[in-house]
């Protein structure tokens, strides 16, 4: 199987370790990974802030990079280690196509986006649903609590896929996070536009995480982890935010540093 | 106290103090978490919840699509049952109509129950200015009124108050409005309820005019429906000689049978009860029983304009259950007052900017009063996709565009104060459609990473005020990928 990695702009720029972990993990599972270098951003920051028309060229760009047309782009799937970017493609790209149609701009946008929408998978979804594995052969001897991010939880409906994967990791002790389903308060530009409320939500999330006694807080979205981790660091809470891909990539021979 | 709250500061400013008010935060947290857990249990009891939700959505959508037809039918059936229907295009007109109707009775006092519509139009203040006293009889409304306060929740307008605060308000204020609070009043719920009951009983028995809202209006029979938990509503609806019901035009359902759906979904979503304790229904007038004169004032006040918006119109499906408020993490921290309207929380964030337009500071900021976490959509019993409407309204704020105001198409200019953001979004779009430029930028950031500040200037300051920035990595992923031939030469 040959897949394209859509790393997302946040991961590429700020969290390259996540990308390296995904490559390592998928390669170990026998999947051939390609990273189309022309990829950039799915357009979610634009779309969710009210700049739908500015997001359209980015959605078209995504389709150009990952869709059919280019000889090299005949991928079986497009994998992204971000629930929120996967939700953008799967839930909001169709909506963008519909809106363009409703505005009398015809079917072009919808037709351009159509091929990439069903092929885009969030990482844990791909592992469990497409590869059919829950034990990825990982080793990670830590006490971990899992925060299901809103888009993964509610837009994609990831359910217990991430926790199934975590439970199968050798040495890992999974502890339940109180109020797990509550938003951490990131919300893209919300974190800046309503920073008081965002910070209050982040603090509550961190306090809940702290109460579990875990040393690692894991999630499947680096943007939420950036907000939670930034809050932890400011509150001097001795916990580490870690992306699930890094835990799943970690093995006894080659542990996560 | 102001009914319509125009001139409120933008949401972030209004939320600023609330977030720091620890009593308020604790009151809200306790109340919303209790009710949200109970709601989840009450909903889980029904295995056809998904179907009921879909049915509720369909009934409302159908009715809204044929609103004209059903409104005409309603007017005919109300008239046939002995009532009189009045139409009000906006708040002013509605207030004038109600004032005239009260004046015609020769009374200068009214008792009121269950009416967000009258709060929306600021009726109490208007009546007061005309020398007519309006007494709220719903327990929570009474607390709000006595405390010279504003409601902060759809269902529990005094949710921001705890028992101690309520006792103090009763002790201090009841005497000024009628029967004073009993001596040595404690803060137990039973004593507080008894004090309210005694205070209100006097008003019910004296009042000749009642003003109410309604949860539903049945077009085929002209029946109005109020669901409540205290029984005060029933007194208010049956004791006075004249009843004036002020209702938004979207509250209509076509047939009696349609109530079947909502009388299951509403109580479970709002109070987590299987059935609400009091369901009162009234159809026109009948000799020797209940009010002898009945007026129905139907208010538009921005509703048909909202209906003209394809994406936003779903907000009119709302049955005011308040489930979305109780699960909203933003509401929980910011409190209801920050939303600057009788409709707080997620529904308020999409309803107010549609009913009032997006031109004031508060209305332009409301679509951003959400992290788009989607919890509101998940619980909404009529499946209003609140995040979808929020993003749609954000677009209206930043890009402007065509909207319907008072029935006419107008083109809105983009709201002020978004120019820098718009430029940033455009620049980002440019970089994101030019991968080479993006890569250069990333490399530059990596190379200069030691010089990056820990606190940011401008809007970024809001981020670094409470959170640390992540460190910029030595090498962006795309460079690593290139350097190591897709990880194959990764010696590290
Ligand atoms: S929007 Fe939905 S959940 Fe919120 S009050 Fe209205 S009906 Fe209830």
């Amino acid at each position: 199987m040959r897949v394209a990695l859509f790393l997302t702009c946040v991961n590429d720029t700020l969290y390259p370790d996540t990308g390296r972990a995904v490559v390592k993990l998928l390669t170990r599972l026998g999947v051939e990974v390609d990273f189309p270098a022309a990829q950039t951003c799915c357009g979610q920051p634009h779309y969710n802030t009210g700049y739908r028309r500015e997001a359209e060229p980015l959605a078209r760009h995504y389709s150009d990079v990952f869709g059919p047309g280019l000889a090299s782009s005949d991928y079986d799937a497009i994998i992204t280690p971000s629930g929120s970017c996967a939700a953008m493609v799967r839930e909001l790209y169709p909506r963008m196509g519909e809106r363009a149609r409703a505005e009398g701009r015809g079917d072009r946008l919808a037709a351009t986006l159509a091929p990439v929408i069903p092929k885009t998978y969030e990482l844990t979804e791909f592992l469990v649903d497409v590869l059919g594995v829950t034990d990825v052969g990982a080793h990670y001897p830590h006490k971990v609590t899992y925060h299901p991010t809103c888009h993964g939880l509610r837009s994609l409906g990831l359910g217990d896929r991430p926790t199934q994967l975590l439970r199968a990791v050798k040495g890992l002790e999974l502890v339940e996070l109180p109020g797990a389903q509550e938003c951490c308060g990131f919300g893209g530009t919300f974190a800046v536009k309503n920073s008081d409320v965002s910070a209050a939500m982040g603090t509550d999330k961190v306090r809940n995480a702290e109460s579990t006694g875990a040393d690692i807080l894991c999630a499947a979205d680096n943007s939420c982890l950036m907000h939670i981790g930034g809050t932890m660091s400011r509150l001097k809470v001795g916990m580490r935010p870690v992306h699930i891909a890094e835990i799943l990539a970690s093995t006894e021979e080659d542990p996560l540093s | 106290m102001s009914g319509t709250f125009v001139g409120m500061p933008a949401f972030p400013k209004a939320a600023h103090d609330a977030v720091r008010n620890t009593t308020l935060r604790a009151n809200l947290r306790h109340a919303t978490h209790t009710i949200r857990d109970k709601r989840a249990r009450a909903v889980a009891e029904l295995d056809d919840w998904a179907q009921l939700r879909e049915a509720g959505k369909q009934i409302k959508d159908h009715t809204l699509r044929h609103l004209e037809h059903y409104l005409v039918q309603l007017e005919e059936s109300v008239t046939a049952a002995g009532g009189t229907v009045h139409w009000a295009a906006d708040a002013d007109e509605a207030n004038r109509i109600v004032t005239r109707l009260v004046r015609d009775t020769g009374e200068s006092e009214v008792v009121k129950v269950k009416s967000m519509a009258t709060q929306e139009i600021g009726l109490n203040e208007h009546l007061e200015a005309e020398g007519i006293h309006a007494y709220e009889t719903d327990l929570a409304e009474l607390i709000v009124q006595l405390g010279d306060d504003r409601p902060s929740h759809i269902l529990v307008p005094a949710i921001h108050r705890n028992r101690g605060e309520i006792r103090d308000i009763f002790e201090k204020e009841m005497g000024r409005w009628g029967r004073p609070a009993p001596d040595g009043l404690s803060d137990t719920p039973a004593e507080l309820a008894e004090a309210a009951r005694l205070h209100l009983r006097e008003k019910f028995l004296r009042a000749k005019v009642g003003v109410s809202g309604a949860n539903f209006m049945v077009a085929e029979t002209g029946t109005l429906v109020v669901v409540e938990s205290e029984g005060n509503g029933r007194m208010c609806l049956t004791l006075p000689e004249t009843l004036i019901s002020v209702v938004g035009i979207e509250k209509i359902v076509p047939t009696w049978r349609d109530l079947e759906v909502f009388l299951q979904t509403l109580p479970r979503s709002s109070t987590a009860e299987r059935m609400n304790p009091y369901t009162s229904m009234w159809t026109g007038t009948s000799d020797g029983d209940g009010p002898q004169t009945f007026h129905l004032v139907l208010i538009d006040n921005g509703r048909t304009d909202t209906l003209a918006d394809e994406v936003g119109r779903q907000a009119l499906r709302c049955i005011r259950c308040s489930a979305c408020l109780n699960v909203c993490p933003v509401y929980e921290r910011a409190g209801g007052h920050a939303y600057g309207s009788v409709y707080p929380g997620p529904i308020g964030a999409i309803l107010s900017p549609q009913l009032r337009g997006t031109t004031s500071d508060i209305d332009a900021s409301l679509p951003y009063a959400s992290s788009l976490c989607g919890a509101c959509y998940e619980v909404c019993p009529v499946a209003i996709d609140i995040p979808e409407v929020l993003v749609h309204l954000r677009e209206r704020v930043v890009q402007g565009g065509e909207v319907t105001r008072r029935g006419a198409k107008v083109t809105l200019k983009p709201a002020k104060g978004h120019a820098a953001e718009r430029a940033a979004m455009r620049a980002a779009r440019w970089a994101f459609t030019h991968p080479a430029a993006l890569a250069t930028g990333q490399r530059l950031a990596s190379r200069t990473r030691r010089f990056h500040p820990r606190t940011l200037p401008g809007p970024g300051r809001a981020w670094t005020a409470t959170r640390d920035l992540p460190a910029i990595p030595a090498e962006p992923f795309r460079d690593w990928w290139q350097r190591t031939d897709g990880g194959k030469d990764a010696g590290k």
Side-chain angles (χ1 to χ4, degrees):
Chain A
M1 187 172 321
R2 188 156 166 274
V3 303
L5 171 60
F6 171 49
L7 193 55
T8 84
C9 52
V10 169
N11 291 327
D12 179 16
T13 310
L14 293 171
Y15 298 96
D17 289 348
T18 302
R20 289 201 281 267
V22 178
V23 174
K24 179 174 150 190
L25 170 66
L26 291 179
T27 310
R28 190 171 81 218
L29 296 172
V31 178
E32 192 190 329
V33 185
D34 189 16
F35 178 79
Q39 64 176 275
T40 54
C41 168
C42 64
Q44 190 188 184
H46 296 75
Y47 186 91
N48 278 351
T49 314
Y51 297 87
R52 176 171 56 91
R53 296 296 286 265
E54 307 287 329
E56 283 183 9
L58 302 184
R60 275 198 299 269
H61 183 75
Y62 180 89
S63 288
D64 288 347
V65 173
F66 294 102
L70 298 172
S72 65
S73 65
D74 212 0
Y75 304 112
D76 295 307
I78 305 155
I79 315 299
T80 176
S82 160
S84 132
C85 301
M88 174 70 193
V89 176
R90 288 242 300 276
E91 188 184 37
L92 301 179
Y93 279 13
R95 206 171 271 175
M96 286 167 82
E98 274 164 42
R99 291 289 296 151
R101 201 178 289 147
E103 287 166 354
R105 290 187 285 134
D107 292 334
R108 278 242 334 258
L109 184 64
T112 310
L113 303 182
V116 289
I117 294 169
K119 271 192 174 183
T120 302
Y121 291 90
E122 185 275 337
L123 176 67
T124 64
E125 201 179 37
F126 175 75
L127 294 172
V128 176
D129 295 0
V130 182
L131 292 187
V133 288
T134 45
D135 187 348
V136 297
H139 174 83
Y140 192 69
H142 290 280
K143 196 168 171 182
V144 176
T145 192
Y146 175 73
H147 166 59
T149 58
C150 298
H151 287 127
L153 183 72
R154 284 181 274 264
S155 305
L156 291 179
L158 290 183
D160 63 353
R161 290 177 185 84
T163 43
Q164 278 182 39
L165 290 158
L166 289 173
R167 281 211 177 85
V169 173
K170 270 182 216 67
L172 186 147
E173 185 195 345
L174 188 66
V175 285
E176 207 183 313
L177 176 66
Q181 307 211 336
E182 276 175 46
C183 178
C184 70
F186 174 61
T189 42
F190 174 77
V192 174
K193 283 182 189 281
N194 274 292
S195 60
D196 288 315
V197 178
S198 164
M201 289 162 70
T203 305
D204 289 348
K205 180 60 74 181
V206 168
R207 294 297 178 216
N208 279 338
E210 209 182 2
S211 77
T212 63
D215 46 334
I216 303 292
L217 177 123
C218 163
D221 248 300
N222 273 329
S223 34
C224 304
L225 285 171
M226 172 171 76
H227 167 73
I228 298 171
T231 308
M232 282 177 168
S233 151
R234 184 61 59 93
L235 296 174
K236 307 221 179 323
V237 170
M239 269 179 106
R240 255 180 77 195
V242 176
H243 192 284
I244 192 168
E246 295 184 58
I247 293 180
L248 299 178
S250 174
T251 56
E252 217 150 351
E253 304 76 52
D254 187 6
L256 174 75
S257 54
Chain B
M1 176 157 99
S2 141
T4 42
F5 318 158
V6 211
M8 276 277 297
F11 183 84
K13 224 193 214 145
H16 178 89
D17 295 333
V19 166
R20 279 161 184 77
N21 181 338
T22 45
T23 313
L24 174 74
R25 283 268 300 274
N27 291 351
L28 279 174
R29 185 180 167 78
H30 176 74
T32 56
H33 280 249
T34 311
I35 187 82
R36 89 169 62 150
D37 296 344
K38 277 205 205 150
R39 186 213 71 96
R41 283 198 294 277
V43 164
E45 280 179 0
L46 294 184
D47 31 328
D48 59 347
W49 183 260
Q51 287 97 309
L52 282 169
R53 186 178 189 239
E54 180 60 26
K57 171 184 172 194
Q58 302 255 352
I59 293 168
K60 283 282 183 176
D61 277 351
H62 166 87
T63 317
L64 290 168
R65 232 181 352 260
H66 305 282
L67 193 60
E68 254 181 48
H69 165 78
Y70 288 116
L71 283 170
V72 170
Q73 192 187 4
L74 178 77
E75 179 173 35
E76 283 165 7
S77 27
V78 170
T79 313
T84 312
V85 175
H86 310 261
W87 301 86
D90 57 21
D92 272 353
E93 194 175 359
N95 286 329
R96 276 200 306 273
I97 293 170
V98 178
T99 311
R100 180 171 49 78
L101 291 173
V102 179
R103 278 260 163 74
D104 289 350
T105 65
E107 294 295 317
S108 60
E109 265 185 16
V110 300
V111 286
K112 280 187 66 204
V113 76
K114 271 291 237 194
S115 177
M116 304 201 67
T118 62
Q119 284 163 3
E120 175 188 323
I121 60 176
L123 179 66
N124 287 10
E125 294 73 17
H126 186 91
L127 290 177
E128 202 64 48
E130 301 283 327
I132 299 166
H133 299 294
Y135 297 112
E136 295 292 346
T137 66
D138 178 88
L139 180 54
E141 301 281 6
L142 175 73
I143 297 166
V144 168
Q145 187 174 44
L146 292 177
D148 193 21
D149 196 356
R150 293 180 320 212
S152 70
H153 189 276
I154 290 180
L155 194 82
V156 207
I159 196 169
H160 55 292
R161 300 289 201 185
N162 62 30
R163 287 192 270 138
E165 292 176 284
I166 294 168
R167 195 227 15 237
D168 295 347
I169 292 171
F170 278 10
E171 239 174 11
K172 240 175 71 203
E173 303 294 337
M174 268 184 173
R176 294 206 295 134
W177 291 75
R179 186 184 170 127
D183 286 339
L185 180 66
S186 83
D187 68 352
T188 60
E191 277 196 37
L192 293 174
E194 183 61 16
R197 192 208 305 274
L198 293 170
H199 179 82
L200 288 172
R201 186 66 47 121
E202 191 186 81
K203 302 240 167 64
F204 285 133
L205 294 175
R206 201 173 60 205
K208 298 275 189 295
V209 185
V211 173
S212 87
N215 292 88
F216 303 100
M217 307 184 283
V218 182
E220 65 173 354
T221 54
T223 304
L224 275 72
V225 185
V226 151
V227 296
E228 40 127 13
S229 318
E230 295 164 14
N232 291 344
R234 181 159 294 178
M235 308 255 268
C236 210
L237 294 164
T238 45
L239 289 174
E241 286 160 15
T242 301
L243 175 62
I244 305 167
S245 299
V246 184
V247 190
I249 52 172
E250 84 284 16
K251 290 277 168 103
I252 206 163
V253 294
T255 69
W256 189 265
R257 171 113 201 242
D258 297 318
L259 292 174
E260 169 204 20
V261 174
F262 301 111
L263 292 183
Q264 291 184 75
T265 53
L266 179 57
R268 283 179 200 261
S269 301
S270 58
T271 46
E273 288 167 305
R274 298 188 176 106
M275 199 182 157
N276 57 280
Y278 293 87
T279 304
S280 304
M281 303 182 169
W282 63 105
T283 311
T285 54
S286 47
D287 281 342
D289 182 21
Q292 294 305 295
T293 314
F294 172 60
H295 295 280
L296 172 60
V297 183
L298 289 168
I299 61 170
D300 183 323
N301 207 30
R303 286 161 175 78
T304 43
D305 291 342
T306 305
L307 201 53
D309 187 295
E310 251 176 81
V311 179
R313 68 170 65 130
Q314 54 185 308
L316 296 177
R317 275 190 224 137
C318 177
I319 55 172
R320 312 278 189 264
C321 72
S322 77
C324 58
L325 278 65
N326 298 328
V327 296
C328 179
V330 176
Y331 174 85
E332 184 190 325
R333 276 124 189 137
H337 291 156
Y339 294 82
S341 141
V342 282
Y343 306 112
I347 182 63
I350 60 169
L351 199 55
S352 308
Q354 295 200 82
L355 295 181
R356 306 191 297 208
T358 45
T359 39
S360 74
D361 276 358
I362 180 77
D363 289 320
S365 71
L366 285 176
Y368 294 94
S370 165
S371 64
L372 304 179
C373 78
C376 49
Y377 178 30
E378 192 176 53
V379 296
C380 178
V382 285
I384 301 173
D385 192 338
I386 296 176
E388 179 186 22
V389 182
L390 287 166
V391 170
H392 174 69
L393 294 173
R394 289 176 184 189
E395 190 179 329
R396 179 172 303 169
V397 172
V398 297
Q399 315 257 46
E402 205 170 70
V403 293
T404 309
R405 291 315 293 166
R406 314 205 111 233
K409 290 239 183 280
V410 292
T411 305
L412 284 182
K413 281 209 211 66
K416 283 187 290 260
H418 287 267
E421 177 184 281
R422 195 159 31 245
M425 286 291 174
R426 296 228 163 106
R429 185 205 63 190
W430 185 84
F432 285 144
T433 45
H434 294 79
L438 176 66
T440 310
Q442 284 174 336
R443 250 163 248 150
L444 189 68
S446 288
R447 228 164 279 147
T448 56
R449 68 202 184 103
R450 263 175 222 94
F451 310 116
H452 284 275
R454 298 301 273 177
T455 42
L456 292 174
R461 199 172 36 213
W463 178 275
T464 49
T466 54
R467 289 150 289 207
D468 289 333
L469 285 169
I472 304 227
E475 181 183 46
F477 177 86
R478 63 182 68 229
D479 287 3
W480 172 84
W481 177 269
Q482 222 176 12
R483 180 171 62 76
T484 61
D485 188 18
K488 288 183 204 78
D489 307 333
K492 257 284 139 97

